Amino acid sequence: MSTAPVGGCRLQGDRHQQFAKYLNGRSMPSPNNLRRHTTQLAKTEADRRRDPLIDVFPGDLQRLRPFLGSYQVFFRAPVDPTKAIINVAFLDERNGTVYSRVVEALSEGKSSTRRWTRCDGKAAFRAGQIFVVDSKRGPDAPLSLYILNKPHRDKSKLLFGTMPYLTPLSGREPTSSPFLWKRAKTTTLSESCSRKAVSSTCKAPE
């Protein structure tokens, strides 16, 4: 029985040349050898099938907690970049995970009817930034990503960033928009909801 050093580990039972064939795809180990190598590398089969993004959320939870709460979200309207769409967003913690919820209510043309949309997702604090990934419900719903940043020593209740997303127009082309999250009181948002003004199209804020 030979011992082959690979990647800092010593794998018993295979020659170095044989293991090299596994690495470059020229050969596959038998199920028994695969289980043996997995054990020797201190990896279980469950670890190999583990979700690689399972540790992404919430990231640094202690640094994320100060940002929990309610926000007004301003970003450019896809059909008219001189105007802004205003949504509301909520970040709350449940069982050690921070969940996001964004609510949008756009007017249908000149009618008073509003089209309500809700996106649910998760938030993470990583590399000094806040990342929010969310989606509408449904198997074909696209993902949206918010990358939020609070300027150093900035004492305002504003978060700035960029949001890549798919346009709701025909073709659903990818685009991006700068955006602003402004912390809001829950009572203020509740009053806005009661007036059906959760989301509207208006002049972009200064």
Side-chain angles (χ1 to χ4, degrees), residues 69-202:
S70 307
Y71 294 85
Q72 288 179 305
V73 181
F74 300 82
F75 66 96
R76 289 177 180 173
V79 295
D80 187 350
T82 65
K83 296 182 179 180
I85 293 178
I86 307 174
N87 296 343
V88 294
F90 307 89
L91 298 179
D92 64 275
E93 179 186 348
R94 299 196 300 275
N95 300 321
T97 300
V98 175
Y99 293 91
S100 68
R101 184 169 74 257
V102 177
V103 181
E104 177 178 283
L106 296 176
S107 299
E108 296 285 0
K110 296 182 179 180
S111 71
S112 59
T113 304
R114 286 180 178 268
R115 174 170 55 82
W116 291 79
T117 301
R118 170 175 165 172
C119 295
D120 295 282
K122 293 181 179 181
F125 191 101
R126 304 181 70 88
Q129 311 285 323
I130 301 171
F131 297 85
V132 177
V133 181
D134 67 12
S135 176
K136 302 176 185 177
R137 296 183 179 181
D140 295 326
L143 297 174
S144 295
L145 170 66
Y146 299 86
I147 304 176
L148 300 101
N149 176 54
K150 185 174 180 60
H152 183 57
R153 295 183 178 179
D154 180 67
K155 296 184 178 180
S156 70
K157 297 181 179 181
L158 303 177
L159 296 173
F160 302 88
T162 302
M163 177 181 64
Y165 62 100
L166 294 183
T167 62
L169 307 177
S170 59
R172 301 188 66 79
E173 297 181 354
T175 186
S176 63
S177 171
F179 68 86
L180 180 151
W181 281 36
K182 179 181 179 181
R183 188 179 287 274
K185 295 181 179 179
T186 304
T187 53
T188 302
L189 294 180
S190 299
E191 293 170 359
S192 297
C193 290
S194 65
R195 295 195 302 268
K196 292 186 178 182
V198 172
S199 176
S200 60
T201 303
C202 60

Side-chain angles (χ1 to χ4, degrees), residues 29-46:
S30 67
N32 287 337
N33 283 340
L34 180 60
R35 282 191 292 270
R36 178 166 51 81
H37 294 324
T38 299
T39 301
Q40 292 173 4
L41 291 171
K43 294 287 186 180
T44 66
E45 292 191 19

